[in-house]
Amino acid sequence: MTDCIETHLYIDGAACPASDGGSYEIHNPARPSELVGRAAAGTVADVDRAVRAAHAAFPAWAALSYDERAVILRKVAAALTEDSALVDARARLFTREHGKILRETHLEISRLGERFVQSADYAERLARDEIIRAPRNDTIVTRQPRGVAALVVPWNWPLAILGAKLPQALMAGNTVVVKPSANSALAPTISLHRIAELLPPGVVNIVTGSAGRIGDALIGHPLVRYVNFTGSVDVGRHVMKVAAENITPVTLELGGNDAGLILSDAALSRDTFDSLYRAAFMSTGQICYALKRLYVHRSRFDEVVDGLRAVVDAQVVGDGLLPETTMGPMNNAKQLKTVTDMIGEARARGARVLELGQVPDAELYAQGYFQRPTLVVGADPTLSVVREEQFGPVLPILTFDSEDEAVALANDDQFGLASSVWSADTGRAIAMARRIEAGYTFINAHGPSANDGNAPFGGFKKSGIGRNFGYEGVTQFQGFHSIAGASGLLD
C-alpha cells in the first residue's frame, strides 16, 4: 500500500472504476489537508450493474447447503487476518482515513473475521426445520433467503458494523451489494475486495460514492429484496420511504442516547472507571451505543465524578498512529461542530464543563477535528447534550434518588438502543434492566468491548427496527416458508 490509496468498485467478480471514471478524495481528520486516498464515485449505472450481478449469482449461492456456505465463510475469516503485514498496513490506512487509534482499527479488523466464524457456526441450527404435526395437516416450517440484500454501512465503525450484516446475509443464502460510507471507504473497500475475491462472481459487490447520488438507486432498485441500514434517524426514515415503494423489508439501526445507571451499591474501582471511560469515549465517542447519559445515585455522585475525571484526564489526545495516543480526532468537521455546539450551550447555561485529557501537540490539535474528552457535571436535563445523541467525546452526568426515578429518567428519551446498570447485586441490576426501554442492557459494563455478538442487537422507538447479530441476525435475511399436507404427510 502506498501513502495515497486509490480504490475501485467491485462488480460481478472484478474490480473496476466508476462507469464515468469519477472518484473523490478522502482526507486525514487529524490533518485535514493531508490526502489519504481516492475512492471510486459510483454512478446509478454502476448500482444497476452491481444489483443485476448479485441477482444473477443468487440461485447458485442459495442452492448451496448451510454447511457448504459455512466452509466458505471460515475460509474468508482466515484470509482476512492471515497476512499480518497486510493487516498492519490496512489498520494504519484505516486510522489515517478515519481518525481512530490503531488499537481500535486492529480490533475492528479482527472483529470482522470473528463474525464470519460466528455466522458459520449457526449452520447446523439453520438447517433444522420446524415440524408441526396436527390433526388436519403436517407442516414443515422452513426458511429461505430473500435474494439480493443491500447493506449500507456507516462511517463510525464500518468494519465492525459490516461484520453485523455481511456474513449473516451470506450465511442466510443471499447475495449482496455493499455501500460503504463515503467518509470511510478506503480500508473497508480493500477488505471487501479480499472477501469478494474468495466468493463466486456476483455474490459480493461493492459500490462506493455519495449516498445522495447512488443511495436511492440502490435502496429502491426493484431487484433488491432486503435492506439493512445503519445510520441516522433522518436518513433511516428516508431509506424506509424509498424501500416502501417496492415493499422491500428493512432493518434500521439508527443510533441511540444510551443511559447508564450507577446504583447506590455499585462497586467503584479503577477498573470500573476504566470501563466507564471506554463505554463513553471509545472511538472518540462515535459509537451508536456508547454511554451517552450517566445517571448516578446521589450518594455516590462525587465519588463517580472524581474517579471518572481522573481516568479521563489521563488520556492522550492526538494522532491515532502514535502509540501513546488514546483518543484520536473526530471523523469530520460536521460532527465536530455538533459536539462543540452542545458543549458551548452547556457552558453558556452555567453547567460545570470539564474539558480534560492531555494534548502533547497543540499545533496538530488546532488544525485537526479534535475535541478533548469532556464531562458535563450535574447537567441540566433540558440541555441538548442530555436530550440529543452527541456522537462525540462528551458525557453528561446527572443524579437520581430512587430506582423508580432512575428508570423513568432512562426511559424519558426518543431512543431505545442500549443501556447499562451498575450494581454489586446482579439480581437487582437485572430486575432494573427489565424495566428499561432498550434493545440491549449491559450489567456492570457497556459498549462494544462488552458485546460478544451472540445476542440480537437493535433498538426500540427511534433507534430503529429489526436486529443484527446473533442467530436472529442471520434469520432476518430470510423469510418463512411453510410446506403443508394432510396429516400423515411426514410419516
Side-chain angles (χ1 to χ4, degrees):
M1 296 181 184
T2 61
D3 286 340
C4 186
I5 301 298
E6 188 164 338
T7 60
H8 294 89
L9 312 179
Y10 197 97
I11 300 174
D12 200 17
C16 56
S19 57
D20 65 358
S23 66
Y24 67 95
E25 296 181 346
I26 295 178
H27 292 257
N28 186 343
R31 299 176 178 82
S33 62
E34 176 188 308
L35 176 64
V36 178
R38 296 179 179 86
T43 67
V44 171
D46 293 323
V47 169
D48 182 65
R49 193 160 68 90
V51 172
R52 292 186 184 280
H55 182 69
F58 170 68
W61 181 251
L64 297 177
S65 69
Y66 289 111
D67 282 340
E68 288 171 326
R69 289 197 290 268
V71 168
I72 296 172
L73 263 61
R74 289 193 175 95
K75 288 180 179 178
V76 169
L80 286 172
T81 55
E82 65 186 357
D83 188 324
S84 60
L86 285 177
V87 170
D88 287 343
R90 202 159 73 239
R92 293 183 68 83
L93 171 64
F94 195 12
T95 289
R96 290 179 62 221
E97 70 169 317
H98 184 280
K100 65 177 61 185
I101 62 175
L102 266 177
R103 183 167 63 251
E104 291 175 356
T105 60
H106 275 282
L107 175 63
E108 280 211 54
I109 291 170
S110 66
R111 281 274 178 93
L112 178 57
E114 289 168 5
R115 300 313 183 210
F116 271 84
V117 173
Q118 200 168 47
S119 295
D121 286 344
Y122 292 125
E124 182 179 350
R125 184 178 176 186
L126 289 163
R128 291 196 298 265
D129 294 332
E130 180 185 358
I131 305 299
I132 303 173
R133 298 179 185 272
R136 181 173 181 178
N137 280 345
D138 283 352
T139 306
I140 302 169
V141 181
T142 187
R143 293 174 307 278
Q144 61 190 50
R146 297 178 182 274
V148 179
L151 311 181
V152 184
V153 180
W155 53 261
N156 61 318
W157 273 63
L159 292 175
I161 294 173
L162 188 66
K165 307 176 188 293
L166 178 58
Q168 294 81 358
L170 295 174
M171 191 62 199
N174 302 274
T175 54
V176 303
V177 178
V178 183
K179 164 68 175 70
S181 168
N183 283 14
S184 298
L186 302 176
T189 296
I190 290 171
S191 298
L192 281 163
H193 278 225
R194 181 63 180 133
I195 293 167
E197 290 164 358
L198 296 170
L199 296 164
V203 172
V204 171
N205 305 273
I206 303 112
V207 289
T208 54
S210 164
R213 186 185 193 191
I214 62 175
D216 286 7
L218 176 59
I219 303 304
H221 198 290
L223 294 179
V224 166
R225 303 289 188 238
Y226 200 82
V227 175
N228 187 305
F229 169 85
T230 300
S232 70
V233 171
D234 288 343
V235 179
R237 185 181 292 114
H238 178 75
V239 165
M240 200 171 186
K241 289 178 180 177
V242 173
E245 289 296 318
N246 293 316
I247 320 296
T248 306
V250 298
T251 288
L252 304 175
E253 199 267 88
L254 306 179
N257 193 13
D258 297 7
L261 309 180
I262 297 186
L263 308 190
S264 59
D265 66 343
L268 299 178
S269 65
R270 175 59 189 250
D271 286 345
T272 305
F273 294 122
D274 284 341
S275 294
L276 285 167
Y277 169 78
R278 289 193 298 271
F281 297 104
M282 187 178 186
S283 199
T284 321
Q286 299 167 126
I287 298 175
C288 56
Y289 62 114
L291 173 62
K292 299 187 179 78
R293 295 176 289 149
L294 184 60
Y295 296 96
V296 183
H297 190 272
R298 194 176 300 276
S299 66
R300 309 300 296 277
F301 186 76
D302 290 343
E303 188 179 357
V304 168
V305 171
D306 291 345
L308 190 53
R309 177 177 183 168
V311 171
V312 174
D313 201 36
Q315 305 306 313
V316 177
V317 182
D319 187 341
L321 291 175
L322 299 176
E324 63 269 22
T325 299
T326 59
M327 179 185 287
M330 298 192 66
N331 177 262
N332 58 81
K334 180 181 178 181
Q335 193 57 39
L336 174 63
K337 185 177 187 305
T338 296
V339 173
T340 55
D341 283 352
M342 287 181 174
I343 293 171
E345 179 205 33
R347 183 176 282 113
R349 289 179 53 185
R352 183 183 173 200
V353 176
L354 305 176
E355 293 192 57
L356 304 167
Q358 310 304 308
V359 179
D361 189 339
E363 182 179 352
L364 178 71
Y365 186 92
Q367 67 175 285
Y369 302 142
F370 290 97
Q371 170 57 51
R372 293 162 63 194
T374 300
L375 303 177
V376 181
V377 180
D380 185 316
T382 65
L383 288 171
S384 61
V385 75
V386 178
R387 301 304 304 170
E388 301 172 17
E389 181 180 28
Q390 312 98 4
F391 220 68
V394 55
L395 177 68
I397 310 177
L398 305 91
T399 60
F400 67 87
D401 292 301
S402 70
E403 290 186 5
D404 287 346
E405 181 189 7
V407 171
L409 289 167
N411 291 341
D412 181 24
D413 193 75
Q414 63 180 323
F415 294 106
L417 186 56
S419 59
S420 56
V421 181
W422 304 70
S423 170
D425 183 339
T426 55
R428 180 188 183 193
I430 291 170
M432 284 194 71
R434 293 182 186 277
R435 301 170 61 192
I436 298 174
E437 297 169 351
Y440 207 108
T441 300
F442 298 92
I443 305 299
N444 295 321
H446 193 125
S449 60
N451 187 348
D452 63 8
N454 285 310
F457 180 86
F460 293 101
K461 299 185 279 191
K462 288 186 178 179
S463 285
I465 56 177
R467 294 294 184 267
N468 292 310
F469 287 130
Y471 178 74
E472 294 79 5
V474 178
T475 59
Q476 72 171 343
F477 285 101
Q478 299 176 317
F480 285 109
H481 185 180
S482 300
I483 302 169
S487 182
L489 173 74
L490 302 178
D491 291 342

